[in-house]
Amino acid sequence: MLVSWKWLKDFVDIRLTPEELVDRLTMAGLEVESLQENVPSFTGVVVSKILSVRPHPGADKCFICEVTTGDAKYPVVCSAGNIRPGNVVPLAKVGATIPGGYTIRTSKIKGEVSEGMLCSEEELGIGSDASGVMILSEHLSPGADLASALDLKDVVLDIGITPNRADCLSIAGIAREIAAITGSPFSYPRISLPERGEDIHGITSVDILDPDLCPRYSARVIKNVTIAPSPLWLRRRLEAVGMRAINNVVDITNYVMMELGQPLHAFDHRFLEEGRIVVRRSRAEEKFTSLDEKERVLRPDTIMICDGVKPVAIGGVMGGLNSEVKEDTETILLESAYFDPSSIRKSAKWLGMNTDAAFRFGRGVDPEGVIRALDRAAQLMAEIAGGTVCKGHIDQYPKKVETAGRIPLRIERVNDILGTRIGEAEITETLKRIGMLIEKEQEGHYRVTPPTYRVDITREIDLIEEVARLHGYDCIPVTIPPVSVKPVIRDSREVAKDRIREILRGSGYSEVITYSFISPSAVDCLLLRADDARRNLVKIENPLTEDQAVMRTTLIYSLLETMKKNANVGCTDLKVFEIGRVFFQRREGELPCEKEQLGCLLTGMRSDHLWSSKTYADFFDLKGCVENIFDSLKISEIRFMHDYRETFLHPGKSCGIFIGDQPVGYAGEVHPDVLVKMDLKNRAYVLEIDLELLLRNFKDVTLYRELPRFPMVLRDVAFVVDEGLHAAGVIDLAMSAGKELLENVSVFDIYSGKSVPHGRKSLGLRFTYRASDRTLTDDEVNVLHNKIVKSVVEKTGAKIRGEEH
């Protein structure tokens, strides 16, 4: 939040330098993010008085003015039509600089010498009025520096306000903090409100139909206003805090919002049908056009400010186009209200309208500051816009806003929490400086009632925090807390996940963390079938964006999005993995089902680009990575089944991953149609494994055996089998038939084509035999080997290659 130094001084006498105040505020919990000196973007411009004005003899639309700065006179050629003798105006003398990089020089214009320039607001960069020369107050002394005479210099603090400190979203709120920190007195601007003419109750009325959404609504009527640009001082103050000037009435409502923290709204009374205000809930699918000229469809719980017939504003968020203040507006109905913070937050989020008013109402304004802000704005409208404030005001307050009651405070507890020895008197005085009402119950025990603008204080610990920050965080002694060191017993699940990370990082993969929110279109991009459980998406009630409106049911889409973002910046070689959660919708009223998954993605080159090695990664790189993971987790019954199908994987280059007969995941090349839908050019290989199922089979015990002392014996056999027969099934048959001496069976070749019948394939297996207590003889191995081969042939219908006939 931007805060003007000069504006602060209307509330509190500041005797610190800006740099000293920055340090004090930051140490009190209000971090000052920047300090900027605002100075005019012109130099050498002074106050001058026009002595005479005569037509230019050589130019019809120009005049020759004689101006004085008190100690000298200057001829100046000017084309503005609003100048008269006696006017006090800005004079940019020879050598002066003005915005745009212009330097004023003596010049001849149609034969007449001009020694300076009479400037407009726009030319000086202090306003938007370019219609003529800026006319100054006649009380200013000629020759005075314009920036000093108009008090244009200021210092602006940019303060980071935490969400709980709604009371500091105003100049008055920051000034209260400064008063508490420095001990200087704080005071509000004096409000003097002359009321004349009609009584407001004869002009309008207010009905609150939903007091739970709008507990308090007050209003005043100001007649005979003249809509015009705001005076320079008001525009400069709004600009200093980052707001744009519009017209005097709208500017006043913004000025009071920034000054007191209470948002206001001005209605043109002539557009209020039946001349009254009704506060109600919106109706389902009700439409409304706001001041930004956008038609919005409302939810049923939105607060609507209506006249006798139609809505005229979204309460606490934005006014309507149908009741805005216009150039010919004469009668203003001024609104000051308190709206339920949670309702405003929901409405602003749903509508995407994070206005300054919604920002404040959503965090909680002072329910007892409603009338003060109303009267302050009415006073300024009378002074600046020439309005007449009608007698009386309307204040409908059907539902008292509950604030924190009498909170218990124990002095001993304060010092125990802070590790200090702050005295009882200092603690109570500190709390009184920020508006707390203190009642003593007994020695060391108090009851504290916070002011209504401190909506963040509800518990004793909140009071202790106030003591800490005002006493000074830098004054709290540094102590080392007692710590009992205990051995950390790690959960086996975490051990297993760390092993998986270790294996993947060692294989060149980088871990990524992606959002759990994805686009609803993700399931279509992945070509999921209509009956796929992963289409059962959990919807986000208030999504950050349309592309993050649902919870993911697979990691694959997130990994492909990561690939796309990398490809967009020229990185086409990628090896990434993620351990994250997926979410499935259950029955209505139940929390979603969460599962932890492992996902990997591989694309591009297998390794760095080297002149001697330019091979692309493929499915078997991914499969090998899976095998390494299972091996590290001591899971031996891994199977890869090629007849497992995923719609987003290439049907001929993918497989299911099984532990025994239980499916735990899948791996394969991404389907070309998916790549097209996601605008991806390169082939990609992905895998996803259910960690819950994987970790159930994790064995956190390592068994050792002595190294073999006797040699192994190898036998190779090529079986001709049906094309659909899995190698894993044949290996299992072989291992079960030779349990004692058969150490291992591995595939060394798979072939189909010439010399192999159609529908059949050649499966080459290597058998490893070894005994732990002796060297095996050929006879022993041959007997056992023949037995195993015979068993495989009988149970699978295989033939020995070369013996098919």
Side-chain angles (χ1 to χ4, degrees):
M1 175 179 163
L2 300 178
V3 178
S4 162
W5 180 273
K6 290 196 301 186
W7 204 345
L8 283 171
K9 295 184 79 170
D10 289 351
F11 293 84
V12 63
D13 182 21
I14 306 175
R15 299 181 182 179
L16 303 173
T17 65
E19 291 74 16
E20 289 172 336
L21 182 62
V22 165
D23 183 62
R24 297 287 294 274
L25 284 173
T26 299
M27 292 309 298
L30 295 174
E31 181 183 2
V32 181
E33 297 174 351
S34 68
L35 178 69
Q36 180 180 346
E37 187 175 357
N38 278 8
V39 294
S41 51
F42 58 80
T43 62
V45 182
V46 298
V47 177
S48 68
K49 187 173 184 178
I50 299 177
L51 298 177
S52 65
V53 179
R54 61 186 176 86
H56 192 295
D60 293 340
K61 296 184 179 180
C62 291
F63 303 92
I64 302 172
C65 307
E66 185 179 32
V67 300
T68 180
T69 58
D71 58 353
K73 297 178 182 178
Y74 303 91
V76 179
V77 176
C78 179
S79 61
N82 68 325
I83 50 176
R84 303 287 184 272
N87 286 156
V88 177
V89 295
L91 170 65
K93 298 169 66 176
V94 173
T97 60
I98 61 175
Y102 301 107
T103 301
I104 307 301
R105 296 181 175 85
T106 300
S107 60
K108 269 194 175 184
I109 302 175
K110 297 288 186 178
E112 295 292 333
V113 175
S114 181
E115 297 184 359
M117 174 180 174
L118 304 184
C119 303
S120 68
E121 284 185 5
E122 184 183 54
E123 288 166 333
L124 293 173
I126 58 175
S128 58
D129 188 0
S131 60
V133 171
M134 182 180 182
I135 306 300
L136 304 174
S137 169
E138 61 184 18
H139 301 297
L140 297 181
S141 301
D145 179 72
L146 183 69
S148 300
L150 297 181
D151 196 20
L152 297 179
K153 296 180 180 178
D154 196 4
V155 173
V156 176
L157 289 71
D158 188 357
I159 303 177
I161 308 297
T162 53
N164 64 312
R165 293 304 305 272
D167 61 298
C168 289
L169 292 173
S170 65
I171 302 296
I174 300 297
R176 276 194 300 258
E177 288 293 302
I178 294 171
I181 293 167
T182 63
S184 298
F186 168 85
S187 61
Y188 284 105
R190 182 173 174 271
I191 298 176
S192 176
L193 194 62
E195 298 180 338
R196 300 192 302 274
E198 297 177 67
D199 188 282
I200 188 174
H201 294 90
I203 302 171
T204 189
S205 64
V206 173
D207 293 314
I208 301 177
L209 303 184
D210 292 288
D212 56 323
L213 299 183
C214 177
R216 189 173 194 179
Y217 192 101
S218 62
R220 275 192 179 276
V221 172
I222 302 95
K223 289 193 169 185
N224 305 317
V225 298
T226 301
I227 306 300
S230 297
L232 180 62
W233 69 267
L234 178 54
R235 282 182 279 140
R236 292 289 292 176
R237 284 201 168 178
L238 288 177
E239 289 165 5
V241 296
M243 302 202 77
R244 181 175 61 89
I246 299 173
N247 60 53
N248 50 6
V249 168
V250 175
D251 291 349
I252 286 167
T253 61
N254 288 332
Y255 180 88
V256 174
M257 177 181 70
M258 297 307 300
E259 183 178 63
L260 302 179
Q262 171 67 49
L264 306 168
H265 188 70
F267 297 99
D268 188 327
H269 186 264
R270 62 183 164 161
F271 297 128
L272 300 180
E273 299 192 46
E274 301 180 11
R276 63 193 184 99
I277 291 292
V278 178
V279 184
R280 62 166 174 83
R281 273 182 168 84
S282 60
R283 303 181 181 98
E285 302 301 315
E286 187 171 9
K287 295 181 179 179
F288 181 73
T289 304
S290 50
L291 277 171
D292 55 5
E293 301 184 6
K294 294 180 180 178
E295 185 178 75
R296 303 179 187 276
V297 179
L298 307 174
R299 296 197 308 180
D301 58 349
T302 306
I303 307 168
M304 298 304 297
I305 311 301
C306 309
D307 57 21
V309 175
K310 64 185 183 301
V312 292
I314 302 172
V317 180
M318 186 180 284
L321 197 62
N322 57 9
S323 61
E324 69 172 329
V325 173
K326 300 182 181 294
E327 291 182 359
D328 59 345
T329 297
E330 295 182 351
T331 302
I332 296 292
L333 187 142
L334 183 62
E335 164 198 287
S336 181
Y338 179 91
F339 299 107
D340 175 62
S342 63
S343 174
I344 296 296
R345 289 195 298 272
K346 291 176 184 176
S347 297
K349 182 71 176 177
W350 171 258
L351 296 169
M353 301 173 72
N354 295 313
T355 61
D356 289 313
F359 187 77
R360 286 162 174 79
F361 279 126
R363 281 157 177 77
V365 300
D366 179 9
E368 300 305 318
V370 169
I371 300 301
R372 180 190 294 116
L374 181 71
D375 291 347
R376 173 70 168 153
Q379 174 195 7
L380 291 174
M381 287 183 186
E383 294 173 356
I384 295 171
T388 301
V389 182
C390 295
K391 293 179 182 178
H393 67 270
I394 293 174
D395 184 20
Q396 292 292 341
Y397 199 176
K399 184 178 180 181
K400 183 75 174 176
V401 178
E402 296 295 331
T403 55
R406 298 165 67 244
I407 303 170
L409 177 68
R410 297 161 289 173
I411 301 301
E412 184 179 359
R413 180 65 173 163
V414 174
N415 286 313
D416 283 348
I417 291 290
L418 302 182
T420 56
R421 295 181 180 179
I422 307 174
E424 191 168 326
E426 184 180 347
I427 290 173
T428 55
E429 285 304 312
T430 297
L431 293 175
K432 285 178 182 177
R433 289 205 310 269
I434 53 174
M436 305 285 180
L437 179 63
I438 311 291
E439 301 173 64
K440 188 171 184 176
E441 291 189 323
Q442 62 186 54
E443 195 65 31
H445 291 258
Y446 292 84
R447 289 280 176 177
V448 181
T449 303
T452 53
Y453 53 78
R454 289 304 302 269
V455 296
D456 59 311
I457 297 178
T458 58
R459 304 167 298 165
E460 183 183 39
I461 196 67
D462 298 329
L463 298 171
I464 295 172
E465 182 185 1
E466 294 301 295
V467 173
R469 67 184 192 83
L470 294 175
H471 177 70
Y473 291 124
D474 52 339
C475 297
I476 296 175
V478 177
T479 58
I480 299 175
V483 177
S484 58
V485 180
K486 296 181 179 179
V488 176
I489 301 174
R490 301 198 64 204
D491 180 77
S492 62
R493 293 171 55 87
E494 296 305 314
V495 171
K497 285 192 281 185
D498 281 350
R499 286 194 191 175
I500 292 171
R501 289 187 174 98
E502 203 173 296
I503 289 292
L504 290 169
R505 288 173 187 149
S507 301
Y509 288 79
S510 299
E511 184 171 9
V512 296
I513 300 174
T514 61
Y515 284 113
S516 296
F517 316 121
I518 60 172
S519 169
S521 64
V523 292
D524 295 323
C525 287
L526 295 178
L527 310 175
L528 296 182
R529 294 184 298 272
D531 60 346
D532 195 310
R534 286 168 295 190
R535 281 188 173 271
N536 198 16
L537 300 169
V538 179
K539 295 181 180 178
I540 308 298
E541 188 170 350
N542 292 307
L544 296 173
T545 66
E546 287 300 316
D547 289 337
Q548 295 182 328
V550 296
M551 305 293 285
R552 65 187 177 189
T553 53
T554 174
L555 300 181
I556 300 302
Y557 183 79
S558 301
L559 293 174
L560 290 172
E561 281 286 299
T562 301
M563 175 182 168
K564 184 176 181 179
K565 290 174 183 175
N566 279 270
N568 289 341
V569 295
C571 178
T572 56
D573 302 330
L574 201 63
K575 298 170 81 173
V576 293
F577 76 94
E578 178 174 13
I579 294 176
R581 293 188 176 275
V582 296
F583 305 82
F584 295 89
Q585 184 69 274
R586 285 177 172 163
R587 290 191 297 271
E588 187 175 349
E590 292 185 8
L591 290 174
C593 171
E594 298 183 30
K595 290 184 177 181
E596 198 166 24
Q597 306 275 93
L598 166 66
C600 295
L601 180 141
L602 178 62
T603 184
M605 303 296 290
R606 178 173 290 136
S607 58
D608 293 338
H609 292 266
L610 301 174
W611 70 270
S612 61
S613 174
K614 293 185 178 180
T615 56
Y616 286 91
D618 59 22
F619 168 80
F620 294 100
D621 292 291
L622 202 62
K623 178 174 178 287
C625 195
V626 175
E627 291 172 331
N628 287 341
I629 290 171
F630 277 72
D631 183 63
S632 177
L633 299 181
K634 308 295 185 296
I635 301 173
S636 58
E637 299 180 4
I638 179 175
R639 294 172 180 273
F640 296 96
M641 310 294 284
H642 75 273
D643 53 356
Y644 183 90
R645 292 287 179 265
E646 282 290 350
T647 54
F648 49 83
L649 296 181
H650 195 298
K653 300 178 183 179
S654 61
C655 67
I657 303 171
F658 288 72
I659 298 176
D661 295 327
Q662 184 180 39
V664 293
Y666 48 83
E669 182 180 327
V670 177
H671 199 290
D673 291 347
V674 175
L675 296 178
V676 170
K677 282 182 173 289
M678 298 196 68
D679 194 25
L680 292 168
K681 308 299 182 187
N682 293 346
R683 291 180 179 180
Y685 301 89
V686 296
L687 72 82
E688 187 169 28
I689 296 175
D690 188 331
L691 275 186
E692 303 290 334
L693 298 176
L694 186 68
L695 299 182
R696 286 180 199 168
N697 294 275
F698 167 50
K699 299 176 180 67
D700 194 16
V701 176
T702 302
L703 299 177
Y704 296 91
R705 64 182 179 184
E706 65 175 335
L707 292 171
R709 291 181 294 163
F710 300 95
M712 62 184 177
V713 179
L714 300 179
R715 293 285 189 272
D716 290 348
V717 180
F719 295 97
V720 177
V721 297
D722 289 340
E723 199 168 37
L725 184 63
H726 296 157
V730 179
I731 291 172
D732 286 346
L733 283 172
M735 292 297 295
S736 62
K739 292 180 180 177
E740 294 179 1
L741 300 177
L742 183 59
E743 187 177 81
N744 186 45
V745 181
S746 61
V747 178
F748 71 83
D749 179 56
I750 296 179
Y751 171 76
S752 59
K754 189 178 178 181
S755 77
V756 176
H758 179 70
R760 307 274 280 178
K761 65 183 177 182
S762 172
L763 177 63
L765 297 183
R766 177 160 294 157
F767 296 77
T768 303
Y769 298 93
R770 190 197 310 264
S772 61
D773 57 349
R774 67 191 186 280
T775 299
L776 292 174
T777 65
D778 275 348
D779 290 340
E780 283 183 284
V781 173
N782 290 338
V783 170
L784 180 58
H785 181 67
N786 291 335
K787 174 187 172 185
I788 294 172
V789 170
K790 182 180 179 182
S791 174
V792 170
V793 169
E794 289 176 351
K795 293 182 179 179
T796 64
K799 303 287 185 183
I800 306 300
R801 191 172 177 186
E803 300 179 2
E804 295 98 328
H805 305 293

